[in-house]
Structure formats: structure tokens, C-alpha cells
Amino acid sequence: MATQLGEAKSLTELVISWEALPEDFQLEDEPVKNTGQPILAGALRESLEISGFIQPQMLIVSNFALCATINGQSIAKAPDWVYVPSVNQVVSNRRSYTPNLEGDIPTMVMEFLSETEGGEYSVKRTYPPGKWFFYEQILQVPIYVIFEPDGGLLEFYQLGNQHYELKLPDENGRHWVESMGLFLGTWQGTKEARTGYWLRWWDEAGNLLPWAVEKIEQERQRAEQERQRAEQERQQKERLIAYLQSQGIDPNNLPPV
């Protein structure tokens, strides 16, 4: 299956096709830019998993190759985080993913900025194309998120008229992701010995989707509240028994109401 992508002033017509990667294609095997990026990506998935959002047909991965064939040349880009709502076949050990051929186009891709420039804003269209151009014009991913962890800057771009448009957050500093039924925003705090800014999810009612450690703490607090309630009931019962006995009434032989 092939589609043509062209603009009025483009010098080169791009022919895009969705084909399986050749067996001898060498995927880039670059290390992550810093140790914080896997933690950021893992935290995004963790809260979705705990909340029961993730379904078997979904593909939610980090630093993972998205592929397309442009003018007969295979292209692979590995965003820091990607969400695909449905794949045609659940595969345990994917090495890459080609939209349309293997399932849905990703709903969202994310890139985490670091001190090393990684081409997140590159609109280079010649081989190999820049990330921005690849996500916007080739894959046509509806949402592109660029996050700067050190300063907490979240840039939320949405595809409109074949180009990404920067969207402003709501009054709570969050962005509504219609296809997921969730808000995406920034949060400041500590997890896994990392203190700083994080990307977090909120449900439609504005409730923060918790991480595992937060879920455990919530359950501990609920258990403590239940223990306190039971203790209060026990003390009230003891006071009532003591009062009845002071009045010469046997609490075990009360008249029927």
C-alpha cells in the first residue's frame, strides 16, 4: 500500500509505503541520552497499568522503532515514548512497528529533551528525515509531545491541517487527550530517587492516576482510617455498656425495641 505526500512548493515528491523491515535492516542501537529518561517513560506506563487502562491489543513502549518506507528506503525512528491504541497481532518480542501494516497509527509520540540535541524539532525531509517531519508528515501522528524534564516545559502539539499546532493547557495546566479519555500534565515530586518534573495522567474527573508506591500509600491510609473508625465504634460501645451498667441495666438482657 503506498500513498503520496506532496506540498505545492516541495522539490521532491515523497512516495510512502508501509512494508515490513528487511531482515538485514540495522536498527539503531544507541544508549538512552540519560538515566532519567527510562524512569520518565516507565512512570507514564506504570500509572496507566495500575489504573486498568492498558489492554492486550495496545502497544505502549519507549525508545522503540517506528517504521515506514520512503521512496523505497526503510526509515526507523525511536521516540522516547509511544502509544498505539490497537495492533493487529499481539507479539511478545517486537523489534519494530510499522503503522497501517501492523495496526493503528500511533495516537501519541513523546520526546524527552536532554543536553544532547536529538533532532526533536528537525523538519529535514531528505534521507534520513528529521523526527518532527517523520512524525508529522510521514506517520501523521495526531499528538506530538516534547518534554523538557529539567525545567518542566511541556509542549503539546496536535495535528491540524497536516501540520502540528502548539496547544495551550487548560486552567489546571493540563491537556485533554480525547482518544485516551485522560489529561496529560506535569507534576513535581520524587520517585525512584529522582526529584523534579514528571509527566502524569489525570482522569476526566481530575483524579491523579497513581504510581505503585502512591497506590500502596493510599491503601495504607484507607486501612488506617478503617482501623480508626472501628476503634471509635468499639470505644463508643464500651462507653454505652458502662453507662447502662451504671444505671443498673444488663446490656446483655435489654428489652426488645
Side-chain angles (χ1 to χ4, degrees), residues 24-35:
D24 58 352
F25 186 85
Q26 295 296 314
L27 290 170
E28 294 183 8
D29 190 21
E30 297 181 357
V32 295
K33 299 170 188 174
N34 56 62
T35 57

Side-chain angles (χ1 to χ4, degrees), residues 57 83-88 97-107:
Q57 75 275 9
Y83 164 65
V84 180
S86 181
V87 298
N88 297 337
Y97 178 76
T98 302
N100 296 313
L101 175 69
E102 298 183 78
D104 291 347
I105 292 172
T107 291

Side-chain angles (χ1 to χ4, degrees), residues 27 36 61 79 131 143 200 206 226 240 246:
L27 290 170
V61 287
K131 285 184 176 179
I143 297 173
R200 300 292 301 264
E226 177 60 26
L240 177 59
S246 70

